[in-house]
């Protein structure tokens, strides 16, 4: 019943007030039902759809603390899906601008970033059960203190949400016509130098937490992408060797964000290089070829991927900073130390290819 759908958020949003973790099945149903309300069906009248969307938007704007309730449960993947539905499913310039402006006023980006911050006393391996935190002065071991439940899941979902906000927003700007295009305040906040600097601080200024570092790298790589439409209507990462698109202004805007992001990373390269030498603690791994102590780990592999992406930007100040930090020498040492790691070798080969082109 159409009227019953309108009353659905009022009846079900109270479930968000429960303590985490939420029931995954019920939360997934709640997220999908919310998506039905704000997604236009083929047979639906445009004005009826716009009115329904407006009702849903005004309801969540009027509900005190709605954004905070969602973020409290971000470790539940269905809640992340719900936030993405609010950002991506609404059609119509006025309603879309309405919801994006409100989410920006709710400081969505800043609050999701805060969820990526490593809490004091958490296991440096990424929030696993038990374990120790390596981060005291002189290399001593610091015992973990009451690690937050679902820390890794929360970091994963927070990072993925930020990545999707950047990519989906850029894709929408590329695909929009001149009359449909508008200033997206949420994208502007996500791409700002302040956001990049805060993210780098969470990654590098506290004790190294693997889930924070790996997901932070994913967000940085999304900011370093330049998106353009593929011939089939999809989107993919743009490189300088490919043909330009008609929407050159958006390409140029993304290029400016890329360079600003790279400039924010430059002062942090010595810290990233130090993590290649001493990453978050990981237990030894027994392999058929012997004991890996320590293993390469997700953190170092993620940082190597980030460095390969940075080199592909061909940003001269960045190349100079990498040379000054002696990063290439350390990467070469890792290449020979982990001689059987195909993932590391693939990234190293990409770096050499880019280095020759530069």
């Amino acid at each position: 019943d159409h009227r019953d759908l309108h009353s659905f958020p009022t009846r079900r949003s109270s479930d968000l007030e429960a303590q985490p973790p939420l029931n995954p099945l019920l939360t997934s149903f709640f997220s999908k039902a919310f998506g039905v309300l704000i997604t236009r069906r083929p047979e639906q009248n445009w004005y009826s759809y716009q009115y329904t969307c407006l009702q849903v938007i005004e309801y969540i704007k009027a509900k005190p603390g709605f954004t905070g309730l969602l973020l409290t449960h971000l470790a539940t993947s269905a809640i992340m899906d719900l936030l993405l539905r609010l950002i991506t499913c609404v059609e119509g310039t006025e309603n879309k601008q309405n919801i994006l402006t409100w989410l920006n006023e709710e400081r969505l980006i800043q609050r999701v970033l805060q969820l990526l911050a490593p809490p004091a006393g958490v296991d440096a391996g990424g929030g696993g059960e038990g374990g120790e935190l390596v981060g005291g002065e002189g290399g001593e071991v610091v015992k973990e203190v009451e690690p937050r439940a679902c820390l890794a899941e929360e970091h994963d979902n927070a990072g993925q949400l930020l990545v999707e906000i950047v990519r989906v927003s850029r894709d929408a700007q590329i695909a929009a016509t001149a009359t449909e295009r508008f200033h997206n305040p949420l994208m502007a906040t996500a791409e700002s130098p302040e956001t990049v600097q805060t993210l780098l601080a969470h990654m590098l200024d506290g004790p190294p937490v693997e889930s924070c570092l790996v997901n932070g790298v994913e967000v940085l790589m999304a900011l370093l992408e330049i998106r353009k439409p593929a011939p089939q209507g999809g989107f993919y990462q743009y490189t300088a060797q490919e043909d330009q698109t008609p929407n050159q202004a958006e390409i140029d805007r993304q290029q400016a964000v890329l360079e600003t992001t790279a400039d924010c990373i430059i002062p942090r390269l010595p810290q990233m290089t130090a993590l290649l030498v001493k990453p978050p603690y990981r237990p030894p791994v027994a392999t058929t070829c012997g004991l890996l102590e320590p293993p390469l780990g997700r953190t170092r592999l993620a940082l190597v991927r980030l460095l390969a992406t940075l080199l592909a930007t061909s940003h001269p100040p960045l190349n100079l900073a990498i040379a000054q930090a002696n990063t290439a020498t350390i990467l070469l040492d890792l290449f020979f130390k982990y001689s059987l790691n195909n993932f590391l070798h693939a990234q190293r080969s990409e770096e050499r290819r880019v280095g020759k082109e530069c």
Side-chain angles (χ1 to χ4, degrees):
D1 183 79
H2 191 63
R3 291 170 297 178
D4 188 53
L5 279 178
H6 286 174
S7 65
F8 175 81
T10 305
R11 299 202 312 269
R12 297 301 304 172
S13 62
S14 60
D15 294 347
L16 297 175
E17 298 172 5
Q19 291 297 314
L22 297 178
N23 182 303
L25 185 61
L26 291 178
T27 310
S28 178
F29 169 71
F30 173 53
S31 174
K32 290 180 179 178
F34 232 108
V36 169
L37 291 173
I38 59 177
T39 302
R40 185 187 179 193
R41 302 184 301 278
E43 72 278 5
Q44 189 175 13
N45 177 276
W46 174 255
Y47 295 103
S48 171
Y49 164 72
Q50 289 289 289
Y51 178 70
T52 302
C53 269
L54 183 60
Q55 282 190 308
V56 174
I57 293 170
E58 292 305 314
Y59 166 76
I60 62 176
K61 288 171 65 175
K63 184 172 177 61
F66 184 77
T67 306
L69 285 174
L70 292 180
L71 295 179
T72 298
H73 300 289
L74 195 61
T76 303
S77 294
I79 296 297
M80 182 197 68
D81 292 339
L82 173 56
L83 280 166
L84 284 175
R85 289 174 193 274
L86 289 173
I87 293 168
T88 61
C89 290
V90 174
E91 297 182 35
T93 301
E94 186 174 344
N95 276 335
K96 185 178 286 290
Q97 192 164 23
N98 185 359
I99 189 66
L100 293 177
T101 300
W102 177 73
L103 288 171
N104 191 58
E105 291 171 351
E106 288 283 292
R107 297 178 59 82
L108 176 66
I109 300 298
Q110 294 90 334
R111 293 162 80 173
V112 174
L113 270 178
Q114 189 57 40
L115 294 178
L116 273 173
V122 173
D123 177 10
E129 297 180 0
E132 297 172 325
L133 178 124
V134 179
E137 296 181 3
E140 70 270 21
V141 173
V142 181
K143 297 290 184 180
E144 66 174 344
V145 180
E146 296 183 359
R148 189 199 307 166
C150 302
L151 176 67
E153 290 85 352
E154 186 174 80
H155 283 171
D156 289 345
N157 289 346
Q160 186 177 348
L161 178 60
L162 291 172
V163 167
E164 291 301 320
I165 287 174
V166 171
R167 288 178 173 166
V168 168
S169 299
R170 290 180 174 183
D171 292 349
Q173 291 288 348
I174 286 284
T177 64
T179 56
E180 295 171 334
R181 196 170 298 122
F182 60 88
H183 173 68
N184 184 336
L186 198 65
M187 180 177 68
T189 301
E191 294 178 335
S192 68
E194 292 77 16
T195 294
V196 178
Q197 290 163 359
T198 301
L199 177 62
L200 289 167
H202 291 334
M203 293 169 60
L204 302 170
D205 287 349
V209 176
E210 183 172 88
S211 56
C212 176
L213 289 163
V214 170
N215 287 288
V217 165
E218 292 297 325
V219 177
L220 291 174
M221 291 180 65
L223 292 169
L224 292 168
E225 286 181 356
I226 296 181
R227 309 276 289 179
K228 64 171 286 188
Q232 296 80 11
F235 290 85
Y236 58 88
Q237 183 176 350
Y238 167 83
T239 60
Q241 290 74 25
E242 297 173 24
D243 293 336
Q244 301 292 301
T245 68
N247 195 343
Q248 186 61 43
E250 175 60 19
I251 296 292
D252 292 342
R253 192 197 64 79
Q254 292 184 33
Q255 178 66 34
V257 172
L258 180 153
E259 293 178 2
T260 301
T261 302
D263 289 336
C264 291
I265 294 174
I266 286 174
R268 298 290 190 164
L269 280 171
Q271 290 171 285
M272 292 183 178
T273 304
L275 281 171
L276 291 174
V277 178
K278 188 177 181 180
Y281 171 77
R282 301 299 296 171
V285 175
T287 71
T288 55
C289 299
L291 188 68
L292 283 178
E293 188 176 6
L296 178 70
R298 293 175 62 212
T299 295
R300 287 197 281 193
L301 183 61
L303 289 172
V304 172
R305 291 178 58 229
L306 176 61
L307 289 166
T309 301
L310 289 170
L311 286 171
T313 65
S314 302
H315 189 46
L318 187 58
N319 295 340
L320 178 61
I322 289 176
Q324 291 174 340
N326 200 32
T327 309
T329 301
I330 292 172
L331 290 173
L332 190 61
D333 291 341
L334 292 176
F335 179 83
F336 289 108
K337 181 176 180 180
Y338 298 95
S339 58
L340 301 179
N341 193 308
N342 292 336
F343 297 104
L344 173 64
H345 294 181
Q347 295 301 321
R348 181 63 181 162
S349 299
E350 178 65 16
E351 289 172 3
R352 284 188 295 178
R353 182 190 66 79
V354 172
K356 291 178 180 178
E357 293 176 355
C358 294

